[in-house]
Short mmCIF file of all heavy atoms in Angstrom, two decimals:
data_model
loop_
_atom_site.label_atom_id
_atom_site.label_comp_id
_atom_site.label_asym_id
_atom_site.label_seq_id
_atom_site.Cartn_x
_atom_site.Cartn_y
_atom_site.Cartn_z
N HIS F 298 -8.74 6.43 -15.32
CA HIS F 298 -8.04 7.64 -15.77
C HIS F 298 -8.33 8.84 -14.87
O HIS F 298 -9.49 9.24 -14.71
CB HIS F 298 -8.43 7.94 -17.22
CG HIS F 298 -7.62 9.02 -17.84
ND1 HIS F 298 -6.25 9.12 -17.68
CD2 HIS F 298 -7.96 10.07 -18.61
CE1 HIS F 298 -5.80 10.17 -18.34
NE2 HIS F 298 -6.82 10.77 -18.91
N VAL F 299 -7.28 9.41 -14.31
CA VAL F 299 -7.40 10.50 -13.33
C VAL F 299 -8.20 11.68 -13.91
O VAL F 299 -9.10 12.22 -13.24
CB VAL F 299 -6.01 10.98 -12.86
CG1 VAL F 299 -6.12 12.21 -11.98
CG2 VAL F 299 -5.28 9.86 -12.12
N ASP F 300 -7.92 12.08 -15.14
CA ASP F 300 -8.63 13.24 -15.71
C ASP F 300 -10.13 12.99 -15.79
O ASP F 300 -10.94 13.87 -15.51
CB ASP F 300 -8.09 13.58 -17.11
CG ASP F 300 -6.65 14.09 -17.04
OD1 ASP F 300 -6.32 14.79 -16.07
OD2 ASP F 300 -5.86 13.78 -17.95
N GLU F 344 -1.05 5.21 -6.48
CA GLU F 344 -1.61 6.55 -6.28
C GLU F 344 -2.36 6.67 -4.96
O GLU F 344 -2.60 7.78 -4.47
CB GLU F 344 -2.47 6.95 -7.48
CG GLU F 344 -1.66 6.89 -8.76
CD GLU F 344 -2.35 7.47 -10.00
OE1 GLU F 344 -3.24 8.31 -9.85
OE2 GLU F 344 -1.95 7.06 -11.10
N ASN F 396 2.94 3.43 -12.55
CA ASN F 396 2.38 3.65 -13.89
C ASN F 396 2.85 2.59 -14.88
O ASN F 396 4.06 2.37 -15.01
CB ASN F 396 2.82 5.02 -14.43
CG ASN F 396 2.11 6.16 -13.76
OD1 ASN F 396 2.16 6.31 -12.54
ND2 ASN F 396 1.43 6.96 -14.54
N GLU F 405 -5.43 7.74 -24.11
CA GLU F 405 -5.79 8.90 -23.30
C GLU F 405 -4.71 9.09 -22.22
O GLU F 405 -4.52 10.18 -21.73
CB GLU F 405 -7.15 8.70 -22.61
CG GLU F 405 -7.15 7.55 -21.62
CD GLU F 405 -8.48 7.32 -20.93
OE1 GLU F 405 -9.40 8.13 -21.09
OE2 GLU F 405 -8.59 6.29 -20.22
N LYS F 406 -4.00 8.00 -21.87
CA LYS F 406 -2.91 8.10 -20.90
C LYS F 406 -1.69 8.67 -21.63
O LYS F 406 -1.58 8.57 -22.87
CB LYS F 406 -2.58 6.73 -20.32
CG LYS F 406 -3.79 6.01 -19.73
CD LYS F 406 -4.03 6.35 -18.26
CE LYS F 406 -5.37 5.88 -17.76
NZ LYS F 406 -5.58 4.46 -17.76
N LEU F 407 -0.75 9.20 -20.85
CA LEU F 407 0.33 10.01 -21.42
C LEU F 407 1.03 9.36 -22.63
O LEU F 407 1.10 9.96 -23.71
CB LEU F 407 1.38 10.32 -20.33
CG LEU F 407 2.56 11.16 -20.81
CD1 LEU F 407 2.14 12.59 -21.09
CD2 LEU F 407 3.69 11.14 -19.80
N LEU F 410 -1.23 8.42 -25.79
CA LEU F 410 -1.81 9.66 -26.33
C LEU F 410 -0.76 10.43 -27.12
O LEU F 410 -1.01 10.89 -28.25
CB LEU F 410 -2.34 10.55 -25.18
CG LEU F 410 -2.85 11.92 -25.62
CD1 LEU F 410 -4.20 11.80 -26.33
CD2 LEU F 410 -2.98 12.88 -24.45
N PHE F 411 0.44 10.51 -26.56
CA PHE F 411 1.48 11.30 -27.23
C PHE F 411 1.97 10.58 -28.48
O PHE F 411 2.27 11.21 -29.49
CB PHE F 411 2.62 11.62 -26.24
CG PHE F 411 2.31 12.82 -25.36
CD1 PHE F 411 1.00 13.10 -24.96
CD2 PHE F 411 3.30 13.69 -24.95
CE1 PHE F 411 0.69 14.20 -24.16
CE2 PHE F 411 3.01 14.81 -24.16
CZ PHE F 411 1.71 15.07 -23.76
N PRO F 422 -0.03 17.96 -25.33
CA PRO F 422 -0.39 18.82 -24.19
C PRO F 422 0.31 18.42 -22.90
O PRO F 422 -0.07 17.46 -22.23
CB PRO F 422 -1.91 18.59 -24.07
CG PRO F 422 -2.15 17.22 -24.62
CD PRO F 422 -1.07 16.95 -25.62
N VAL F 423 1.34 19.15 -22.54
CA VAL F 423 2.08 18.87 -21.29
C VAL F 423 1.46 19.70 -20.18
O VAL F 423 1.39 20.94 -20.27
CB VAL F 423 3.58 19.25 -21.46
CG1 VAL F 423 4.33 18.97 -20.16
CG2 VAL F 423 4.19 18.49 -22.63
N TYR F 424 1.01 19.01 -19.12
CA TYR F 424 0.35 19.72 -18.02
C TYR F 424 1.39 20.49 -17.21
O TYR F 424 2.44 19.93 -16.83
CB TYR F 424 -0.35 18.74 -17.08
CG TYR F 424 -1.48 17.93 -17.71
CD1 TYR F 424 -1.91 16.75 -17.09
CD2 TYR F 424 -2.11 18.33 -18.88
CE1 TYR F 424 -2.95 16.00 -17.64
CE2 TYR F 424 -3.15 17.58 -19.43
CZ TYR F 424 -3.56 16.42 -18.81
OH TYR F 424 -4.58 15.68 -19.36
N ASN F 429 6.28 16.97 -13.15
CA ASN F 429 5.79 15.86 -12.31
C ASN F 429 6.54 14.59 -12.67
O ASN F 429 6.94 14.38 -13.82
CB ASN F 429 4.29 15.67 -12.53
CG ASN F 429 3.54 16.96 -12.26
OD1 ASN F 429 3.73 17.93 -12.99
ND2 ASN F 429 2.76 16.98 -11.21
N ARG F 431 6.82 10.33 -12.58
CA ARG F 431 6.12 9.05 -12.49
C ARG F 431 7.16 7.93 -12.60
O ARG F 431 8.21 8.10 -13.21
CB ARG F 431 5.07 8.90 -13.62
CG ARG F 431 3.93 9.92 -13.55
CD ARG F 431 3.07 9.69 -12.34
NE ARG F 431 1.91 10.60 -12.23
CZ ARG F 431 1.90 11.73 -11.52
NH1 ARG F 431 2.99 12.14 -10.89
NH2 ARG F 431 0.80 12.46 -11.43
N ASN F 466 8.10 14.08 -16.34
CA ASN F 466 7.30 13.99 -17.58
C ASN F 466 8.02 14.58 -18.79
O ASN F 466 8.07 13.97 -19.86
CB ASN F 466 5.96 14.71 -17.41
CG ASN F 466 5.01 13.95 -16.48
OD1 ASN F 466 5.20 12.76 -16.22
ND2 ASN F 466 4.00 14.63 -15.98
N ARG F 498 -3.21 19.95 -14.48
CA ARG F 498 -4.30 19.14 -13.95
C ARG F 498 -4.65 19.60 -12.53
O ARG F 498 -3.73 19.89 -11.74
CB ARG F 498 -3.84 17.68 -13.94
CG ARG F 498 -4.77 16.71 -13.26
CD ARG F 498 -4.14 15.33 -13.15
NE ARG F 498 -4.26 14.56 -14.36
CZ ARG F 498 -3.63 13.39 -14.56
NH1 ARG F 498 -2.84 12.88 -13.63
NH2 ARG F 498 -3.79 12.72 -15.68
N HIS F 501 -2.78 18.07 -9.23
CA HIS F 501 -1.80 17.19 -9.88
C HIS F 501 -0.73 16.69 -8.89
O HIS F 501 0.08 17.47 -8.40
CB HIS F 501 -1.14 17.99 -11.01
CG HIS F 501 -0.43 17.16 -12.01
ND1 HIS F 501 0.07 17.69 -13.17
CD2 HIS F 501 -0.14 15.84 -12.05
CE1 HIS F 501 0.66 16.74 -13.88
NE2 HIS F 501 0.54 15.61 -13.21
N TYR F 505 5.39 10.18 -7.86
CA TYR F 505 5.15 8.82 -7.37
C TYR F 505 6.45 8.04 -7.55
O TYR F 505 7.10 8.13 -8.60
CB TYR F 505 4.08 8.07 -8.19
CG TYR F 505 2.73 8.73 -8.32
CD1 TYR F 505 2.03 8.64 -9.53
CD2 TYR F 505 2.12 9.39 -7.27
CE1 TYR F 505 0.77 9.19 -9.68
CE2 TYR F 505 0.85 9.95 -7.41
CZ TYR F 505 0.19 9.86 -8.62
OH TYR F 505 -1.06 10.40 -8.77
P1 TYD Y 819 -1.40 9.61 -16.89
O1 TYD Y 819 -0.88 8.77 -18.01
O2 TYD Y 819 -2.77 10.20 -17.00
O3 TYD Y 819 -1.22 8.77 -15.54
P2 TYD Y 819 -1.40 9.23 -13.99
O4 TYD Y 819 -2.02 10.57 -13.95
O5 TYD Y 819 -2.32 8.18 -13.45
O6 TYD Y 819 -0.03 9.18 -13.42
O7 TYD Y 819 -0.39 10.83 -16.70
C1 TYD Y 819 0.98 10.62 -16.46
C2 TYD Y 819 1.61 11.99 -16.22
O8 TYD Y 819 1.54 12.76 -17.42
C3 TYD Y 819 0.88 12.81 -15.17
O9 TYD Y 819 1.83 13.56 -14.42
C4 TYD Y 819 0.01 13.74 -15.97
C5 TYD Y 819 0.81 13.97 -17.24
N1 TYD Y 819 0.02 14.20 -18.47
C6 TYD Y 819 0.28 15.31 -19.27
O10 TYD Y 819 1.18 16.14 -18.97
N2 TYD Y 819 -0.46 15.47 -20.40
C7 TYD Y 819 -1.46 14.61 -20.75
O11 TYD Y 819 -2.13 14.83 -21.81
C8 TYD Y 819 -1.70 13.47 -19.93
C9 TYD Y 819 -2.78 12.49 -20.27
C10 TYD Y 819 -0.92 13.31 -18.79
#
Side-chain angles (χ1 to χ4, degrees):
H298 189 43
V299 174
D300 293 325
E344 303 189 24
N396 286 58
E405 64 180 352
K406 306 272 168 63
L407 180 71
L410 175 74
F411 278 33
V423 179
Y424 298 161
N429 304 66
R431 296 293 183 265
N466 288 343
R498 172 187 279 171
H501 197 172
Y505 305 142

